[in-house]
């Protein structure tokens, strides 16, 4: 009995990041929240602020824990310190971004009071939360609208942000919006003199809400009186300023003018027709960003209206916004890695990649690939850091598995650095930081003979980073500063790196992913390789010892004639053979080239049959890259531009 009790006590002494997280999530949410109450009631505002920040990190992991956090933070919104109120709101905003914010009616009464706060930053953060909040009833929807209207009446300078919040809330609660507008449409009428001067805050707010009302372009019907769209034109300048991140003024004018000609139908009839058309495949311009148990909502209901509605502009901004939101989530969850929650971080990153995969757009192929590769690189790096840096058992890991992860990360970073066109200095800086982190981890897994080569590469990358920082547009990071200190210490002492790997390893503790904002101007180098009519049952004939010509159909995307491309042909364990593609001799444009090329293969074996693997590779030419002493092939490292294709040959 004594041994059993002792074992049970040992099992209870489990802390996040030190032991299995499975035990951590057995703790009831109400019990876990008690640990923060004293911090939130401390007399020092710095302690209260830190407690709110700690809740933010943990609230995203569990919906039940988030509910308790919301209950607790509602009282904190009345804190005397503006910094504490702002941190509490920031925590609630993160909870809302991950789809865990469930406001009850009594919560909403307390929350709407913060919209009247004297500090503009507090009011702004509160409106951001309302944009992401789902309201379960019409009563709460009306309370929310009235709260924003009171905000506008008290602080007219907040008009643009209030209108933006009203528009998004209307978008997210379409049926409630229709009922509210139809009930109160009588108040939105011209004056007795026939003038349309809507200076009243409530009337102007209702017109903004009406602008977000659902319409059916196919049936040319709307769920609110069409005159509302005509009245909204009188507020065109004010509304367009509030929706500048969604739609421009010209497009908004065309949309309002077009919808004002529609036929009004009752709400029940409208939504019944809409459901019928959705079943038939009526495409709506809306996007729901949802990943695993973490949710981000980004809804857009503006429809295509003939030539007046510029579909491309709206689609462009919607997709870029979704990519940027997901990339921001990646930055927000990274601190959880240091808590030891590597499994949660990994699952979230994979869910984010799956969500990005649902955004299929040829126009923004570069942005989507960049985001996917950035998340993939952070996933690999996170696993490596969790094993080698944030764990004390440094020398007891399976090096074979780590070596595979290091090589996979290296390939991913080479793709990002050399295949993406249009990267700005910030993008290049974050890629170079990742390359340095990978180089440091690689040093710990290599023999002494390879140390000088890897260290030389790290020095070369650091020179590139210093050059970017000297231009003044990009600031250095704590991680880069620590690496510079470690390198100077290594250069000052003559001891080999493996004698003290912690010299550089300790700098990895300062690594934090940089914030990424996609501009929408990236292009991605790709190639397609086809060999028609060749299968295992239908091999290509050849004569042993003589060259054989392989006729290949090749398509190149976003590849300049200045790039050095090669066809790589591999035969089992022999050294690959390369054939150079001189793009100066091939007609076509950089955006797209299609041509047929006959590639000679000289190393035909003395065998009855064999298979050959082919792919197109890009030679990576940049300052400081390692040179290969070979004949007839690339002199630098290469990246694959397409998947390998297998060709079958037979002498019979």
């Amino acid at each position: 009995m004594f041994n059993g009790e002792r074992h049970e006590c040992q099992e209870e002494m489990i802390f996040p990041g030190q032991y299995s997280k499975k035990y951590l999530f057995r703790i009831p949410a109400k019990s876990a929240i008690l640990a923060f109450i004293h911090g939130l009631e401390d007399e020092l505002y710095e302690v209260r602020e830190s407690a709110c920040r700690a809740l933010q990190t943990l609230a995203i992991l569990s919906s039940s824990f988030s509910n308790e956090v919301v209950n607790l933070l509602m009282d904190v919104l009345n804190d005397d310190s503006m910094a504490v109120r702002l941190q509490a709101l920031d925590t609630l905003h993160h909870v809302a971004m991950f789809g865990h914010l469930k406001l009850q009616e009594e919560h909403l009464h307390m929350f709407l009071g913060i919209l009247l706060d004297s500090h503009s930053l507090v009011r702004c953060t509160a409106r951001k939360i309302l944009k992401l909040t789902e309201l379960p009833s019409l009563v709460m929807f009306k309370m929310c609208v009235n709260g924003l209207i009171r905000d506008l009446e008290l602080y007219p300078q907040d008009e643009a942000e209030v209108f933006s919040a009203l528009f998004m809330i209307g978008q997210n609660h379409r049926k409630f919006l229709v009922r509210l507008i139809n009930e109160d449409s009588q108040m939105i009428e011209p004056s007795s003199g026939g003038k349309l001067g809507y200076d009243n805050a409530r009337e102007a707010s209702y017109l903004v809400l009406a602008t977000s009302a659902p319409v059916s372009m196919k049936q040319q019907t709307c769920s609110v009186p069409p005159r509302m769209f005509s009245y909204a034109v009188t507020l065109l300048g004010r509304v367009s300023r509030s929706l500048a991140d969604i739609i421009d003024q010209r497009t908004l004018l065309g949309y309002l003018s077009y919808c004002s000609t529609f036929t009004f139908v009752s709400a029940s009839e409208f939504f019944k027709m809409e459901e019928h058309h959705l079943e038939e495949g009526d495409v709506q311009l809306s996007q729901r960003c949802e990943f695993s148990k973490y949710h981000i909502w980004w809804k857009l209901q503006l429809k295509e209206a003939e030539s007046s509605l510029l579909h491309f502009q709206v689609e462009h901004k919607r997709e870029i916004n979704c990519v940027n939101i997901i990339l921001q989530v990646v930055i927000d969850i990274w601190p959880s890695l240091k808590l030891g929650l590597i499994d949660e971080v990994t699952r979230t990153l994979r869910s984010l990649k799956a969500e990005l995969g649902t955004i299929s757009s040829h126009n923004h192929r570069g942005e989507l690939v960049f985001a996917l590769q950035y998340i993939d690189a952070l996933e690999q790096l996170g696993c490596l850091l969790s094993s080698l840096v944030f764990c004390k058992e440094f020398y007891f890991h399976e090096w074979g598995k780590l070596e595979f992860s290091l090589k996979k990360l290296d390939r991913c970073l080479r793709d990002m650095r050399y295949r993406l066109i249009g990267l700005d200095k910030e993008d290049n800086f974050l890629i170079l930081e990742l390359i340095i982190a990978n180089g440091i981890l690689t040093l710990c897994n290599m023999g002494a003979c390879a140390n000088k080569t890897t260290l030389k590469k790290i020095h070369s990358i650091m020179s590139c980073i210093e050059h970017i920082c000297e231009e003044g547009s990009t600031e250095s990071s704590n991680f880069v500063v620590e690496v510079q200190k470690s390198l100077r210490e290594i250069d000052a002492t003559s001891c080999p790196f493996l004698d003290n790997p912690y010299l550089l390893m300790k700098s990895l503790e300062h690594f934090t992913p940089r914030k990424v904002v996609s501009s929408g101007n990236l292009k991605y180098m790709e190639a397609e390789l086809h060999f028609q009519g060749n299968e295992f049952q239908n091999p290509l004939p050849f004569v042993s010892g003589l060259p054989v010509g392989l006729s290949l159909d090749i398509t190149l995307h976003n590849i300049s004639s200045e790039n050095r491309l090669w066809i790589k042909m591999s035969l089992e364990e022999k050294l690959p053979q390369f054939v150079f593609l001189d793009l100066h001799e091939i007609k076509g444009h950089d955006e797209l080239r299609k041509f047929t090329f006959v590639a000679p293969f000289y190393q035909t074996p003395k065998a009855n049959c064999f298979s050959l693997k082919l792919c197109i590779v890009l030679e990576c030419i940049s300052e400081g890259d390692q040179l290969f002493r070979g004949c007839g092939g690339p002199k630098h490292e290469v990246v694959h531009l397409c998947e390998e294709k297998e060709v079958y040959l037979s002498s019979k």
Side-chain angles (χ1 to χ4, degrees), residues 113-387:
I114 206 73
L115 290 174
L116 308 181
D117 195 278
S118 58
H119 294 275
S120 60
L121 193 56
V122 172
R123 299 195 303 273
C124 177
T125 308
R127 286 189 289 266
K128 290 180 180 179
I129 296 172
L130 288 178
K131 289 182 180 181
L132 300 173
T133 303
E134 284 197 51
L135 304 171
S137 67
L138 178 62
V139 173
M140 295 180 66
F141 179 76
K142 289 182 177 180
M143 289 172 55
C144 187
V145 170
N146 290 331
L148 287 168
I149 292 175
R150 285 196 297 272
D151 177 7
L152 179 58
E153 291 172 340
L154 189 59
Y155 301 102
Q157 66 270 25
D158 292 350
E159 181 181 90
E161 293 185 6
V162 171
F163 281 179
S164 176
L166 286 168
F167 182 86
M168 294 305 298
I169 291 171
Q171 290 280 301
N172 295 335
H173 304 85
R174 302 160 69 242
K175 293 187 177 181
F176 294 159
L177 165 66
V178 170
R179 290 180 61 182
L180 177 64
I181 295 297
N182 288 329
E183 287 176 5
D184 299 338
S185 61
Q186 294 80 8
M187 72 161 54
I188 314 173
E189 293 294 341
S191 61
S192 58
K195 295 182 179 180
L196 297 172
Y198 297 107
D199 297 326
N200 182 279
R202 180 168 295 275
E203 293 180 0
S205 299
Y206 270 63
L207 283 179
V208 173
L209 283 170
T211 302
S212 66
V215 298
S216 173
M217 290 294 170
K218 188 172 183 179
Q219 299 295 321
Q220 293 193 353
T221 57
C222 55
S223 54
V224 298
R227 65 180 184 277
M228 297 297 171
F229 296 100
S230 299
Y231 297 163
V233 174
T234 63
L235 301 176
L236 181 64
R238 294 158 66 183
V239 176
S240 63
R241 281 193 295 273
S242 64
L243 305 180
D245 59 336
I246 299 176
I247 190 171
D248 60 58
Q249 183 171 322
R250 177 185 173 187
T251 305
L252 179 62
L253 175 60
Y255 175 75
L256 295 175
S257 301
Y258 189 65
C259 293
S260 64
T261 64
F262 284 5
T263 303
F264 172 64
V265 296
S266 65
S268 58
E269 183 180 353
F270 175 85
F271 288 113
K272 184 178 180 181
M273 288 192 304
E274 188 181 55
E275 291 174 2
H276 173 69
H277 293 312
L278 281 174
E279 292 175 358
E280 294 179 352
D282 186 15
V283 179
Q284 297 188 38
L285 190 57
S286 63
Q287 178 68 25
R288 179 183 181 184
C289 297
E290 176 180 354
F291 50 94
S292 186
K293 63 177 182 178
Y294 303 97
H295 301 273
I296 293 178
W297 300 90
W298 188 261
K299 295 184 177 180
L300 192 60
Q301 295 285 334
L302 296 175
K303 313 296 178 76
E304 182 179 3
E306 297 184 341
S307 60
S308 300
L309 186 61
L310 303 180
H311 171 82
F312 176 76
Q313 285 186 331
V314 178
E315 186 73 11
H316 173 90
K317 292 183 179 180
R318 179 183 65 80
E319 291 171 349
I320 295 301
N321 281 334
C322 281
V323 171
N324 286 333
I325 288 174
I326 291 177
L327 287 175
Q328 181 58 46
V329 175
V330 175
I331 308 301
D332 293 338
I333 67 170
W334 188 259
S336 301
L337 186 72
K338 294 185 179 181
L339 293 175
L341 302 174
I342 180 60
D343 291 339
E344 287 292 329
V345 173
T346 301
R347 276 199 297 270
T348 304
L349 291 176
R350 290 176 181 174
S351 298
L352 291 171
K353 288 194 295 182
E355 182 60 32
L356 282 171
T358 64
I359 307 175
S360 56
S361 172
H362 177 72
N363 296 321
H364 307 301
R365 170 72 171 159
E367 281 71 25
L368 295 177
V369 170
F370 175 81
L372 285 167
Q373 290 183 336
Y374 185 46
I375 295 175
D376 192 41
L378 290 179
E379 179 186 348
Q380 296 296 324
L381 182 61
C383 293
L384 290 165
L385 290 177
S386 178
S387 300

Side-chain angles (χ1 to χ4, degrees), residues 49 206 318 368 421 423 488 539:
E49 183 181 2
Y206 270 63
R318 179 183 65 80
L368 295 177
I421 304 172
L423 294 170
R488 284 195 292 267

Side-chain angles (χ1 to χ4, degrees), residues 488-519:
R488 284 195 292 267
E489 188 174 349
I490 291 174
D491 293 339
T493 60
S494 58
C495 66
F497 173 79
L498 284 181
D499 290 349
N500 188 7
Y502 192 68
L503 281 175
L504 275 175
M505 286 290 289
K506 64 181 180 180
S507 62
L508 290 172
E509 297 177 1
H510 299 272
F511 177 83
T512 301
R514 295 178 72 88
K515 183 177 180 180
V516 184
V517 179
S518 181
S519 61

